[in-house]
Amino acid sequence: MSSSAAVPFWRAAGMTYISYSNICANLVRNCLKEPFKSEALAREKVHYSISKFENGKPQKPTIRSDDTQA
C-alpha cells in the first residue's frame, strides 16, 4: 500500500464512518424548518428488544425505546 494513498477525511480525523454519518444526519435534521424538523426528530427514535439467556434458553424479551444521541 502506498503511503501517498488518499484517506477519507473522517478516517484521518480518527472517526468511524458511522460516527461521521450520525454527525452529518444530526446537522441536517437541525437545519430543517418546521414541520419537517419535528417529523425527522420523531424518526430518530429507536426501538429494540433485549433477551437474556439462562441455561442456553432465551427469557422473555424486554422492549426498549431510546432516543439516539450522537
Side-chain angles (χ1 to χ4, degrees):
M1 186 175 248
S2 175
S3 63
S4 64
V7 176
F9 66 90
W10 49 267
R11 176 130 339 168
M15 301 170 67
T16 64
Y17 182 76
I18 296 296
S19 63
Y20 164 73
S21 176
N22 284 336
I23 289 170
C24 291
N26 283 333
L27 288 171
V28 170
R29 281 191 290 268
N30 288 333
C31 291
L32 293 172
K33 294 181 180 179
E34 290 298 335
F36 306 109
K37 184 175 185 175
S38 58
E39 291 173 7
L41 290 174
R43 286 191 303 265
E44 188 176 326
K45 195 157 187 86
V46 176
H47 304 282
Y48 59 96
S49 66
I50 299 174
S51 295
K52 293 186 179 184
F53 283 76
E54 290 183 15
N55 298 327
K57 295 182 181 179
Q59 303 300 309
K60 184 177 178 184
T62 303
I63 303 209
R64 302 275 314 256
S65 294
D66 292 333
D67 291 329
T68 58
Q69 299 294 326

